[in-house]
Amino acid sequence: MTETTDSEETIVSPDSHHPNTRVVVLLGSLRAASLNRRIVAVLDERAPAGVTLEVASGLGDIPFYNEELDGDAIPAEAQALRDLVAGADRVLAVTPEYNGTMPAVLNNAIDWLSRPYGQGALTGKPFAAVGATPTPYGGKWSHDDARRSARIAGADVLEDVVVSESALAGDILADPEVVSRLVGALTTLVAHRSTAAAA
Ligand SMILES: Cc1cc2nc3c(=O)[nH]c(=O)nc-3n(C[C@H](O)[C@H](O)[C@H](O)COP(=O)(O)O)c2cc1C
């Protein structure tokens, strides 16, 4: 989907229809019982009409980025990720925080998506980062770092979409306000009209 507009104005409504908009989700947690995985499931249920979420599976199986591996034939798992993101309209990182930054699997995915330099699959892609952790800041540093890294990798980052939910209080997904914030982030990402060439 190519979108160009003279205006930065966006219409943000969950009722808007976005035909055939593919959002690739980069999930920063590998564990089955992940809260962030549950967030993705809720977003999938409540995505705006016409929007499909596709979770990039197997991020944990992609070798660590190594320029020696990055030639004509790259590891199949890395190629699959590049192909998935290249075909997407939007990219959403849904991630916890590990030691004050994004988990290594997410960082590694962004590294693979950042190359070839200037032509990586993230180039020009509208990108946002959300998530939750059971600490007071909700993984804010992870989301900040994911946005910065994706921006340096060439993505069209939505800097104002900041949803870092603290799960200290219990089951945050039972709270309609939390769900509304998360769905709002997805809706804003989908409605974003990119000024970048390759969106
Ligand atoms: C190695 C490690 C480091 C962590 N560091 C942080 C941290 O810096 N900030 C934070 O908010 N939570 C931190 N946590 C807690 C995670 O956010 C928590 O385990 C979270 O539930 C993981 O997300 P998930 O439920 O989607 O797997 C850390 C957890 C692990 C295992």
Side-chain angles (χ1 to χ4, degrees):
M1 185 166 82
T2 302
E3 295 175 348
T4 54
T5 176
D6 293 329
S7 163
E8 285 289 311
E9 189 179 330
T10 57
I11 300 166
V12 180
S13 161
D15 299 328
S16 297
H17 193 260
H18 305 276
N20 305 321
T21 300
R22 295 175 63 197
V23 179
V24 164
V25 174
L26 303 177
L27 178 58
S29 176
L30 299 178
R31 68 191 190 101
S34 158
L35 171 60
N36 288 279
R37 192 182 298 278
R38 287 183 55 220
I39 289 174
V40 176
V42 168
L43 290 176
D44 192 41
E45 274 172 23
R46 299 182 184 237
V51 174
T52 307
L53 264 58
E54 298 173 52
V55 179
S57 59
L59 291 191
D61 298 327
I62 302 176
F64 282 121
Y65 186 84
N66 175 346
E67 288 186 87
E68 291 170 0
L69 297 179
D70 195 2
D72 290 339
I74 69 171
E77 299 87 351
Q79 187 62 57
L81 176 68
R82 283 183 176 173
D83 292 345
L84 185 69
V85 170
D89 302 300
R90 304 285 185 269
V91 179
L92 179 65
V94 182
T95 185
E97 179 174 282
Y98 285 175
N99 297 304
T101 186
M102 73 185 106
V105 287
L106 176 57
N107 205 338
N108 189 46
I110 293 174
D111 288 345
W112 278 107
L113 293 169
S114 72
R115 291 293 188 272
Y117 182 74
Q119 303 163 45
L122 274 178
T123 305
K125 295 283 179 200
F127 177 102
V130 302
T133 75
T135 68
Y137 301 106
K140 182 185 180 305
W141 287 338
S142 169
H143 306 141
D144 289 349
D145 287 358
R147 283 199 306 277
R148 186 179 63 238
S149 187
R151 185 174 66 244
I152 291 169
D156 178 13
V157 175
L158 278 75
E159 301 288 355
D160 295 338
V161 175
V162 179
V163 184
S164 306
E165 292 291 341
S166 171
L168 265 182
D171 185 7
I172 57 170
L173 292 176
D175 180 344
E177 288 184 14
V178 170
V179 171
S180 171
R181 278 195 288 276
L182 290 164
V183 173
L186 174 62
T187 304
T188 302
L189 175 64
V190 167
H192 177 68
R193 294 292 176 267
S194 182
T195 51

